Amino acid sequence: MANLDSFKGNSGAPVINSVTGDVEGILVSGEDDWVFDEANQCVRVKKCPDNMNGCDGEKALRITVLADVLKDLLP
């Protein structure tokens, strides 16, 4: 689970560690992209707070753990 800036159509995109630059995973699914703003009677981008309060977050498949498995399988 992660709090990422992603939208529908981003599935399959790499999830990159901003410190190391390593690809950590692949985006699989996520939060709803849009919410209806009752006060302003419009649709707006759904923003999740850093503490994820009220959000499920985006789901990413961690691929860094696959490196050990693949090195044993590949010649």
Side-chain angles (χ1 to χ4, degrees):
M1 299 304 290
N3 189 358
L4 305 171
D5 234 355
S6 62
F7 289 89
K8 185 175 183 174
N10 291 147
S11 294
V15 177
I16 301 172
N17 182 316
S18 62
V19 175
T20 65
D22 292 338
V23 175
E24 296 282 350
I26 299 170
L27 182 64
V28 177
S29 66
E31 276 288 332
D32 290 332
D33 297 331
W34 311 98
V35 292
F36 184 72
D37 183 339
E38 295 276 343
N40 296 306
Q41 294 294 297
C42 64
V43 176
R44 63 176 176 78
V45 172
K46 181 175 183 177
K47 294 182 182 178
C48 294
D50 288 338
N51 67 5
M52 300 293 289
N53 189 20
C55 292
D56 291 330
E58 282 76 34
K59 295 168 188 70
L61 174 64
R62 182 178 282 277
I63 63 170
T64 51
V65 296
L66 295 177
D68 291 333
V69 173
L70 290 176
K71 75 176 181 183
D72 292 337
L73 295 176
L74 298 174

Coordinates of all heavy atoms in Angstrom, one line a residue:
M1 N 0.8 -1.2 0.0 CA 0.0 0.0 0.0 C 0.9 1.2 0.0 O 1.9 1.3 0.6 CB -0.9 0.0 1.2 CG -1.8 -1.2 1.3 SD -2.9 -1.4 -0.1 CE -4.0 0.0 0.1
A2 N 0.4 2.2 -0.7 CA 1.2 3.5 -0.8 C 0.3 4.7 -1.1 O -0.8 4.5 -1.5 CB 2.2 3.4 -1.9
N3 N 0.8 5.8 -0.8 CA 0.1 7.1 -1.1 C 0.8 7.7 -2.3 O 1.8 8.4 -2.2 CB 0.1 8.0 0.1 CG -0.8 9.2 -0.2 OD1 -1.5 9.4 -1.2 ND2 -0.9 10.1 0.8
L4 N 0.3 7.3 -3.5 CA 1.0 7.7 -4.8 C 0.1 8.7 -5.5 O -1.1 8.8 -5.4 CB 1.2 6.5 -5.7 CG 2.0 5.4 -5.0 CD1 2.0 4.2 -6.0 CD2 3.4 5.8 -4.7
D5 N 0.7 9.5 -6.4 CA 0.0 10.4 -7.3 C -0.2 9.6 -8.6 O 0.6 9.7 -9.5 CB 0.9 11.6 -7.6 CG 0.3 12.9 -7.3 OD1 -0.9 12.9 -7.0 OD2 1.0 13.9 -7.5
S6 N -1.4 8.9 -8.6 CA -1.6 8.1 -9.8 C -3.1 8.2 -10.2 O -3.9 8.6 -9.4 CB -1.2 6.6 -9.6 OG -2.0 6.1 -8.5
F7 N -3.4 7.8 -11.4 CA -4.8 7.9 -11.9 C -5.0 6.6 -12.7 O -4.1 5.9 -13.1 CB -5.0 9.1 -12.8 CG -5.0 10.4 -12.1 CD1 -3.8 11.1 -11.9 CD2 -6.2 10.9 -11.6 CE1 -3.8 12.3 -11.2 CE2 -6.2 12.1 -10.9 CZ -5.0 12.8 -10.7
K8 N -6.3 6.4 -13.0 CA -6.7 5.3 -13.9 C -5.9 5.4 -15.2 O -5.7 6.4 -15.7 CB -8.2 5.4 -14.2 CG -8.7 4.2 -15.0 CD -10.2 4.3 -15.1 CE -10.7 3.1 -15.8 NZ -12.2 3.1 -15.9
G9 N -5.4 4.2 -15.6 CA -4.5 4.2 -16.7 C -3.0 4.1 -16.4 O -2.2 3.8 -17.2
N10 N -2.7 4.4 -15.1 CA -1.3 4.3 -14.7 C -0.9 2.9 -14.2 O 0.3 2.6 -13.9 CB -1.0 5.2 -13.5 CG -1.1 6.7 -13.9 OD1 -1.5 7.5 -13.1 ND2 -0.7 7.0 -15.1
S11 N -1.9 2.0 -14.2 CA -1.6 0.6 -13.8 C -0.5 0.0 -14.7 O -0.4 0.2 -15.9 CB -2.8 -0.3 -13.9 OG -3.8 0.1 -13.0
G12 N 0.5 -0.7 -14.0 CA 1.6 -1.2 -14.7 C 2.8 -0.3 -14.7 O 3.9 -0.7 -15.1
A13 N 2.6 0.9 -14.3 CA 3.7 1.9 -14.2 C 4.7 1.5 -13.1 O 4.3 0.9 -12.1 CB 3.2 3.3 -14.0
P14 N 6.0 1.8 -13.2 CA 6.9 1.5 -12.2 C 6.7 2.4 -11.0 O 6.3 3.6 -11.1 CB 8.3 1.8 -12.8 CG 8.0 2.8 -13.9 CD 6.6 2.5 -14.4
V15 N 6.9 1.9 -9.8 CA 6.9 2.6 -8.5 C 8.4 2.8 -8.2 O 9.1 1.8 -7.9 CB 6.1 1.9 -7.4 CG1 6.2 2.7 -6.1 CG2 4.7 1.8 -7.8
I16 N 8.9 4.0 -8.2 CA 10.3 4.3 -8.0 C 10.6 4.9 -6.7 O 9.9 5.8 -6.2 CB 10.8 5.2 -9.2 CG1 10.5 4.6 -10.5 CG2 12.3 5.6 -9.0 CD1 10.7 5.5 -11.7
N17 N 11.7 4.4 -6.0 CA 12.2 4.9 -4.8 C 12.8 6.2 -5.1 O 13.8 6.3 -5.8 CB 13.2 3.9 -4.2 CG 13.7 4.3 -2.8 OD1 14.0 5.5 -2.6 ND2 13.8 3.4 -1.9
S18 N 12.2 7.3 -4.5 CA 12.7 8.7 -4.8 C 14.1 8.9 -4.2 O 14.8 9.9 -4.6 CB 11.8 9.7 -4.2 OG 11.7 9.6 -2.8
V19 N 14.6 8.1 -3.3 CA 15.9 8.3 -2.7 C 17.0 7.6 -3.5 O 18.0 8.1 -3.9 CB 16.0 7.8 -1.2 CG1 17.4 7.9 -0.7 CG2 15.0 8.6 -0.4
T20 N 16.7 6.3 -3.9 CA 17.7 5.5 -4.5 C 17.6 5.5 -6.1 O 18.5 5.1 -6.8 CB 17.6 4.0 -4.1 OG1 16.4 3.4 -4.4 CG2 17.8 3.9 -2.6
G21 N 16.3 5.8 -6.5 CA 16.1 5.7 -8.0 C 15.8 4.3 -8.4 O 15.5 4.1 -9.6
D22 N 15.7 3.3 -7.5 CA 15.4 1.9 -7.8 C 13.9 1.7 -8.1 O 13.1 2.4 -7.5 CB 15.8 1.0 -6.7 CG 17.3 0.9 -6.5 OD1 18.1 1.2 -7.5 OD2 17.8 0.5 -5.4
V23 N 13.6 0.9 -9.0 CA 12.2 0.5 -9.2 C 11.9 -0.5 -8.1 O 12.5 -1.6 -8.0 CB 12.0 -0.2 -10.6 CG1 10.6 -0.7 -10.8 CG2 12.3 0.8 -11.7
E24 N 10.9 -0.1 -7.3 CA 10.5 -0.9 -6.1 C 9.4 -1.9 -6.4 O 9.2 -2.9 -5.8 CB 10.2 -0.1 -4.9 CG 11.3 0.8 -4.4 CD 12.3 0.0 -3.5 OE1 12.0 -1.1 -3.2 OE2 13.3 0.6 -3.2
G25 N 8.5 -1.4 -7.4 CA 7.3 -2.2 -7.6 C 6.6 -1.8 -8.9 O 7.1 -0.9 -9.6
I26 N 5.4 -2.3 -9.1 CA 4.6 -2.0 -10.2 C 3.2 -1.6 -9.7 O 2.6 -2.4 -8.9 CB 4.5 -3.2 -11.2 CG1 5.9 -3.6 -11.7 CG2 3.5 -2.9 -12.3 CD1 5.9 -4.9 -12.5
L27 N 2.7 -0.5 -10.1 CA 1.4 -0.1 -9.7 C 0.3 -1.0 -10.2 O 0.3 -1.4 -11.4 CB 1.1 1.3 -10.2 CG -0.3 1.9 -9.8 CD1 -0.3 2.1 -8.3 CD2 -0.5 3.3 -10.5
V28 N -0.6 -1.5 -9.3 CA -1.6 -2.5 -9.6 C -3.0 -1.9 -9.7 O -3.7 -2.1 -10.6 CB -1.5 -3.7 -8.7 CG1 -2.6 -4.7 -9.0 CG2 -0.1 -4.4 -8.7
S29 N -3.3 -1.2 -8.6 CA -4.7 -0.5 -8.5 C -4.6 0.6 -7.5 O -3.6 0.8 -6.8 CB -5.7 -1.6 -8.2 OG -5.5 -2.1 -6.9
G30 N -5.7 1.3 -7.4 CA -5.7 2.4 -6.4 C -7.0 3.0 -6.0 O -8.1 2.4 -6.3
E31 N -6.9 4.1 -5.4 CA -8.1 4.9 -4.9 C -8.9 5.3 -6.1 O -8.5 5.4 -7.2 CB -7.6 6.1 -4.2 CG -7.2 5.9 -2.7 CD -8.3 5.7 -1.8 OE1 -9.5 6.2 -2.0 OE2 -8.1 5.1 -0.8
D32 N -10.1 5.8 -5.7 CA -10.9 6.5 -6.7 C -10.2 7.8 -7.1 O -9.6 8.4 -6.2 CB -12.3 6.8 -6.2 CG -13.2 5.6 -5.9 OD1 -13.0 4.6 -6.7 OD2 -14.0 5.6 -5.1
D33 N -10.2 8.1 -8.4 CA -9.5 9.3 -8.8 C -10.3 10.6 -8.5 O -9.7 11.6 -8.3 CB -9.3 9.2 -10.3 CG -8.4 8.1 -10.7 OD1 -7.5 7.7 -9.8 OD2 -8.5 7.5 -11.8
W34 N -11.6 10.5 -8.6 CA -12.4 11.7 -8.5 C -13.4 11.6 -7.4 O -13.9 10.5 -7.1 CB -13.1 12.0 -9.8 CG -12.2 11.9 -11.0 CD1 -12.0 10.8 -11.8 CD2 -11.3 12.9 -11.4 NE1 -11.0 11.1 -12.7 CE2 -10.6 12.4 -12.5 CE3 -11.0 14.2 -11.0 CZ2 -9.7 13.1 -13.2 CZ3 -10.1 14.9 -11.7 CH2 -9.4 14.4 -12.8
V35 N -13.8 12.7 -6.8 CA -14.9 12.8 -5.8 C -15.8 14.0 -6.1 O -15.3 15.0 -6.7 CB -14.4 12.9 -4.3 CG1 -13.6 11.7 -3.9 CG2 -13.5 14.2 -4.2
F36 N -17.0 13.9 -5.7 CA -18.0 15.0 -6.0 C -17.9 15.9 -4.8 O -18.1 15.5 -3.7 CB -19.4 14.4 -6.2 CG -20.4 15.5 -6.5 CD1 -20.3 16.1 -7.8 CD2 -21.3 16.0 -5.6 CE1 -21.2 17.1 -8.1 CE2 -22.2 17.0 -5.9 CZ -22.1 17.6 -7.2
D37 N -17.6 17.2 -5.1 CA -17.6 18.2 -4.1 C -18.9 18.8 -3.9 O -19.4 19.6 -4.8 CB -16.5 19.2 -4.5 CG -16.3 20.3 -3.5 OD1 -17.2 20.6 -2.6 OD2 -15.2 21.0 -3.6
E38 N -19.6 18.4 -2.9 CA -21.0 18.9 -2.6 C -21.1 20.4 -2.5 O -22.0 21.1 -3.1 CB -21.6 18.3 -1.3 CG -21.7 16.8 -1.4 CD -23.1 16.4 -2.0 OE1 -24.0 17.2 -2.2 OE2 -23.1 15.2 -2.4
A39 N -20.1 21.0 -1.8 CA -20.2 22.4 -1.5 C -20.1 23.3 -2.8 O -20.8 24.3 -3.0 CB -19.0 22.8 -0.6
N40 N -19.2 22.8 -3.7 CA -19.0 23.6 -5.0 C -19.8 23.0 -6.2 O -19.6 23.5 -7.3 CB -17.5 23.7 -5.3 CG -16.8 24.5 -4.2 OD1 -17.2 25.6 -3.9 ND2 -15.8 23.9 -3.6
Q41 N -20.5 21.8 -5.9 CA -21.2 21.2 -7.0 C -20.3 20.9 -8.2 O -20.7 21.2 -9.3 CB -22.4 22.0 -7.4 CG -23.5 22.1 -6.3 CD -24.1 20.8 -6.0 OE1 -24.7 20.2 -6.8 NE2 -23.9 20.3 -4.8
C42 N -19.2 20.2 -7.9 CA -18.3 19.9 -9.0 C -17.5 18.6 -8.7 O -17.6 18.1 -7.6 CB -17.3 21.0 -9.3 SG -16.1 21.3 -8.0
V43 N -16.9 18.1 -9.7 CA -16.0 16.9 -9.5 C -14.6 17.4 -9.3 O -14.2 18.3 -10.1 CB -16.1 15.9 -10.7 CG1 -15.2 14.8 -10.5 CG2 -17.6 15.4 -10.8
R44 N -13.9 16.9 -8.3 CA -12.5 17.3 -8.2 C -11.6 16.0 -7.9 O -12.1 15.0 -7.7 CB -12.4 18.2 -7.0 CG -12.7 17.6 -5.7 CD -12.5 18.6 -4.5 NE -13.0 18.1 -3.3 CZ -12.3 17.2 -2.5 NH1 -11.2 16.7 -2.9 NH2 -12.8 16.7 -1.4
V45 N -10.3 16.2 -8.0 CA -9.3 15.2 -7.8 C -9.4 14.8 -6.3 O -9.4 15.7 -5.5 CB -7.9 15.6 -8.2 CG1 -6.9 14.6 -7.8 CG2 -7.8 15.9 -9.7
K46 N -9.4 13.5 -6.1 CA -9.4 13.0 -4.7 C -7.9 13.1 -4.2 O -7.0 12.5 -4.8 CB -9.9 11.6 -4.6 CG -9.9 11.1 -3.1 CD -10.5 9.7 -3.0 CE -10.6 9.3 -1.6 NZ -11.3 8.0 -1.4
K47 N -7.7 13.7 -3.1 CA -6.4 13.8 -2.5 C -6.4 13.2 -1.1 O -7.2 13.4 -0.3 CB -5.9 15.3 -2.3 CG -5.8 16.0 -3.6 CD -5.3 17.4 -3.4 CE -5.2 18.2 -4.8 NZ -4.8 19.6 -4.6
C48 N -5.5 12.2 -1.0 CA -5.3 11.5 0.3 C -4.3 12.2 1.2 O -3.2 12.5 0.7 CB -4.9 10.1 0.1 SG -6.2 9.1 -0.7
P49 N -4.5 12.4 2.4 CA -3.5 13.0 3.3 C -2.4 12.1 3.5 O -2.5 10.9 3.3 CB -4.3 13.3 4.6 CG -5.4 12.3 4.6 CD -5.8 12.1 3.2
D50 N -1.2 12.6 3.9 CA -0.1 11.8 4.2 C -0.3 10.7 5.2 O 0.3 9.6 5.1 CB 1.1 12.6 4.6 CG 1.7 13.5 3.5 OD1 1.5 13.1 2.3 OD2 2.4 14.5 3.8
N51 N -1.2 10.9 6.1 CA -1.5 9.9 7.1 C -2.5 8.9 6.6 O -2.9 7.9 7.4 CB -2.0 10.5 8.5 CG -3.3 11.2 8.3 OD1 -4.0 11.2 7.3 ND2 -3.7 11.9 9.4
M52 N -3.0 9.0 5.4 CA -3.9 8.1 4.7 C -5.3 8.0 5.4 O -6.1 7.2 5.1 CB -3.3 6.7 4.6 CG -2.0 6.6 3.8 SD -2.3 7.0 2.1 CE -3.1 5.5 1.6
N53 N -5.6 9.0 6.3 CA -6.9 9.0 7.0 C -8.0 9.1 5.9 O -8.1 10.1 5.2 CB -6.9 10.1 8.0 CG -8.1 10.1 8.8 OD1 -8.8 9.0 9.0 ND2 -8.5 11.2 9.4
G54 N -8.9 8.1 5.9 CA -10.0 8.1 5.0 C -9.7 7.6 3.6 O -10.5 7.6 2.7
C55 N -8.5 7.0 3.4 CA -8.1 6.5 2.1 C -7.6 5.1 2.2 O -6.9 4.8 3.3 CB -7.0 7.4 1.5 SG -7.5 9.0 1.0
D56 N -7.8 4.3 1.2 CA -7.2 2.9 1.2 C -5.8 2.9 0.6 O -5.1 2.0 0.8 CB -8.1 2.0 0.4 CG -9.4 1.7 1.1 OD1 -9.5 1.7 2.3 OD2 -10.4 1.5 0.4
G57 N -5.5 3.9 -0.2 CA -4.2 4.0 -0.9 C -4.2 3.2 -2.2 O -5.1 2.5 -2.6
E58 N -3.0 3.3 -2.8 CA -2.8 2.6 -4.1 C -2.1 1.3 -3.7 O -1.4 1.2 -2.7 CB -1.9 3.4 -5.0 CG -2.7 4.5 -5.8 CD -3.0 5.7 -4.9 OE1 -2.2 6.0 -4.0 OE2 -4.0 6.3 -5.1
K59 N -2.3 0.3 -4.6 CA -1.7 -1.0 -4.4 C -0.6 -1.2 -5.4 O -0.8 -1.0 -6.6 CB -2.7 -2.1 -4.5 CG -3.8 -2.0 -3.4 CD -5.0 -2.9 -3.7 CE -6.1 -2.7 -2.7 NZ -6.8 -1.5 -2.9
A60 N 0.6 -1.6 -4.9 CA 1.7 -1.9 -5.8 C 2.3 -3.2 -5.5 O 2.3 -3.7 -4.3 CB 2.8 -0.8 -5.6
L61 N 2.7 -3.9 -6.5 CA 3.3 -5.2 -6.3 C 4.8 -5.0 -6.2 O 5.4 -4.4 -7.1 CB 3.1 -6.1 -7.6 CG 3.8 -7.4 -7.6 CD1 3.3 -8.3 -6.5 CD2 3.5 -8.1 -8.9
R62 N 5.4 -5.3 -5.0 CA 6.8 -5.1 -4.8 C 7.6 -6.1 -5.6 O 7.4 -7.3 -5.5 CB 7.1 -5.3 -3.3 CG 8.6 -5.0 -3.0 CD 8.9 -5.2 -1.5 NE 8.5 -4.0 -0.8 CZ 9.2 -2.9 -0.6 NH1 10.4 -2.8 -1.2 NH2 8.8 -1.9 0.1
I63 N 8.5 -5.6 -6.4 CA 9.3 -6.5 -7.3 C 10.7 -6.6 -6.8 O 11.4 -7.5 -7.3 CB 9.2 -6.0 -8.8 CG1 9.8 -4.7 -8.9 CG2 7.8 -6.1 -9.3 CD1 10.0 -4.3 -10.4
T64 N 11.1 -5.8 -5.9 CA 12.5 -5.9 -5.4 C 12.8 -7.2 -4.8 O 13.9 -7.7 -4.9 CB 12.9 -4.8 -4.5 OG1 11.9 -4.7 -3.4 CG2 12.9 -3.4 -5.2
V65 N 11.8 -7.9 -4.2 CA 12.0 -9.2 -3.6 C 12.2 -10.3 -4.6 O 12.7 -11.3 -4.4 CB 10.9 -9.5 -2.6 CG1 10.9 -8.6 -1.4 CG2 9.6 -9.6 -3.3
L66 N 11.8 -10.0 -5.9 CA 11.9 -11.0 -6.9 C 13.3 -11.1 -7.4 O 13.6 -12.1 -8.1 CB 11.0 -10.6 -8.1 CG 9.5 -10.6 -7.9 CD1 8.7 -10.2 -9.1 CD2 9.0 -12.0 -7.4
A67 N 14.2 -10.1 -7.2 CA 15.5 -10.2 -7.7 C 16.2 -11.5 -7.2 O 16.9 -12.1 -8.0 CB 16.3 -9.0 -7.2
D68 N 16.1 -11.8 -5.9 CA 16.7 -13.0 -5.4 C 16.1 -14.3 -6.0 O 16.9 -15.2 -6.3 CB 16.5 -13.1 -3.9 CG 17.3 -12.0 -3.1 OD1 18.4 -11.6 -3.7 OD2 16.9 -11.6 -2.0
V69 N 14.9 -14.3 -6.3 CA 14.2 -15.5 -6.9 C 14.7 -15.6 -8.3 O 15.1 -16.7 -8.8 CB 12.7 -15.3 -6.9 CG1 12.0 -16.4 -7.7 CG2 12.2 -15.3 -5.4
L70 N 14.7 -14.5 -9.1 CA 15.1 -14.5 -10.5 C 16.6 -14.9 -10.7 O 16.9 -15.7 -11.6 CB 14.9 -13.2 -11.2 CG 13.4 -12.8 -11.3 CD1 13.3 -11.4 -11.9 CD2 12.7 -13.8 -12.3
K71 N 17.5 -14.5 -9.8 CA 18.9 -14.8 -9.9 C 19.1 -16.3 -9.8 O 20.1 -16.9 -10.4 CB 19.8 -14.0 -9.0 CG 19.7 -14.5 -7.6 CD 20.7 -13.7 -6.7 CE 20.6 -14.2 -5.3 NZ 21.4 -13.5 -4.4
D72 N 18.3 -17.0 -9.0 CA 18.4 -18.4 -8.8 C 17.8 -19.2 -10.0 O 18.2 -20.3 -10.3 CB 17.7 -18.9 -7.6 CG 18.4 -18.4 -6.3 OD1 19.6 -18.1 -6.4 OD2 17.7 -18.3 -5.3
L73 N 16.9 -18.5 -10.8 CA 16.2 -19.2 -11.9 C 17.0 -19.0 -13.2 O 16.9 -19.8 -14.1 CB 14.8 -18.7 -12.0 CG 13.9 -19.0 -10.9 CD1 12.5 -18.3 -11.1 CD2 13.7 -20.5 -10.8
L74 N 17.7 -17.8 -13.3 CA 18.3 -17.5 -14.6 C 19.7 -18.1 -14.6 O 20.4 -18.1 -13.6 CB 18.4 -16.0 -14.8 CG 17.0 -15.3 -14.9 CD1 17.1 -13.8 -14.9 CD2 16.2 -15.8 -16.1
P75 N 20.2 -18.5 -15.8 CA 21.5 -19.1 -15.9 C 22.6 -18.0 -15.7 O 22.5 -16.9 -15.8 CB 21.6 -19.6 -17.3 CG 20.4 -19.0 -18.1 CD 19.5 -18.5 -17.1

